[in-house]
Amino acid sequence: LPGNSDADGVVHYKFPQSIKTRFLKFIPLEWSPGGGIGMRVEVYGCTYKSDVADFDGRSSLLYRFNQKSMSTVKDVISLKFKSKHSEGVLVHGEGQRGDYITLELHRGALALHINLDDAKLQSSASHLSVTLGSLLDDQHWHSVLIERFNKQINFTVDKHTQHFRTKGSCDSLEIDYELSFGGIPLPGKPGTFLRKNFHGCIENLYYNGVNIIDLAKRRKPQIYTVVSIYSIPCMARKTAQC
């Protein structure tokens, strides 16, 4: 990136695509032969939309479906979170026939539990659990992406991805009534395991393209809030730039 050759000139460069990064480092390759050593750089970004909710270990959000149950062959869940607690459920959904998906912090790592088969017909061998990351209870923001198409799943935490396939014969995930975020607010159906609710902040929570926190802010009927989820500590996060 050639710079200016005088004291007051300004040189602009525009990248063809936006770059999302935490750090940016400039390395001078050579100095102007006719002047002293000096450099000033400014970086301009684009607006970063941030929808943040605070969960206190008792609160949760329920995303309720329009029908009695939802059967999907493709799911995409994305979010960012930060917490100082090593245990807590971030996402949970389950069906009457034994299907379920759960994302939880467990001992500072993220564990994804999933089952697509009828628990009454299949053995426990169809249940799958995958753990990724460590020391995620460090009060820093961590990004999560879950992509599922049929049996194939990509599970990404902070750019580290595991690719795996679910067990059993079924391709679809069938969830009854609702998907919960931040915990399991009510006693679960038979087979639900006891877990602590999430305690911390969640940002830009999307389920299959739906902005869950934005729906909650706008008090849309698809979202049911269990206890107040908003607080100043999370909402005061500095706006980032891309």
Side-chain angles (χ1 to χ4, degrees):
L1 303 174
N4 59 306
S5 57
D6 55 36
D8 302 314
V10 178
V11 179
H12 292 279
Y13 288 96
K14 185 176 182 180
F15 292 101
Q17 296 179 340
S18 62
I19 299 173
K20 185 182 294 185
T21 181
R22 185 177 179 185
F23 301 105
L24 192 61
K25 183 177 182 179
F26 292 91
I27 303 177
L29 299 179
E30 60 183 8
W31 302 103
S32 172
I37 294 175
M39 183 177 73
R40 185 177 71 184
V41 177
E42 291 183 88
V43 179
Y44 300 90
C46 52
T47 302
Y48 178 82
K49 189 176 186 296
S50 179
D51 291 307
V52 186
D54 180 27
F55 296 82
D56 62 2
R58 295 174 294 117
S59 54
S60 58
L61 287 176
L62 306 183
Y63 176 55
R64 291 180 168 169
F65 309 132
N66 294 327
Q67 57 263 42
K68 184 177 179 180
S69 65
M70 177 73 75
S71 181
T72 60
V73 295
K74 180 180 180 181
D75 291 296
V76 178
I77 300 173
S78 63
L79 60 95
K80 291 183 179 180
F81 77 92
K82 69 175 180 178
S83 177
K84 62 180 180 180
H85 299 266
S86 61
E87 307 283 335
V89 172
L90 289 155
V91 182
H92 177 76
E94 58 182 279
Q96 290 285 356
R97 70 186 186 94
D99 289 29
Y100 65 79
I101 181 170
T102 302
L103 176 68
E104 66 164 340
L105 267 174
H106 181 55
R107 296 181 179 178
L110 270 181
L112 176 63
H113 313 286
I114 190 167
N115 176 55
L116 305 183
D117 281 339
D118 191 333
K120 297 179 181 179
L121 302 178
Q122 301 290 336
S123 68
S124 59
S126 63
H127 300 216
L128 183 67
S129 296
V130 176
T131 301
L132 193 57
S134 63
L135 304 176
L136 301 178
D137 51 344
D138 58 358
Q139 197 67 350
H140 289 116
W141 287 99
H142 299 282
S143 60
V144 183
L145 176 63
I146 301 170
E147 302 169 295
R148 182 187 72 86
F149 182 70
N150 294 333
K151 294 185 179 68
Q152 184 65 41
I153 297 179
N154 300 326
F155 181 30
T156 303
V157 178
D158 293 338
K159 298 183 179 181
H160 299 283
T161 303
Q162 282 200 22
H163 308 278
F164 57 92
R165 290 176 61 85
T166 59
K167 304 175 183 179
S169 59
C170 291
D171 292 333
S172 61
L173 174 65
E174 186 172 312
I175 298 175
D176 293 338
Y177 304 112
E178 64 196 19
L179 195 64
S180 64
F181 301 95
I184 306 175
L186 300 173
K189 307 174 186 67
T192 300
F193 35 83
L194 296 177
R195 293 289 190 268
K196 291 183 178 180
N197 281 14
F198 176 72
H199 195 157
C201 302
I202 296 180
E203 180 193 36
N204 292 349
L205 171 58
Y206 284 85
Y207 168 67
N208 290 344
V210 177
N211 187 335
I212 300 298
I213 297 175
D214 179 65
L215 289 181
K217 286 181 178 179
R218 294 189 287 126
R219 302 182 184 276
K220 294 297 183 178
Q222 305 99 306
I223 296 292
Y224 179 70
T225 305
V226 180
V227 187
S228 176
I229 64 167
Y230 306 109
S231 75
I232 293 176
C234 281
M235 300 301 288
R237 179 189 178 192
K238 182 180 180 181
T239 302
Q241 299 292 322
C242 65

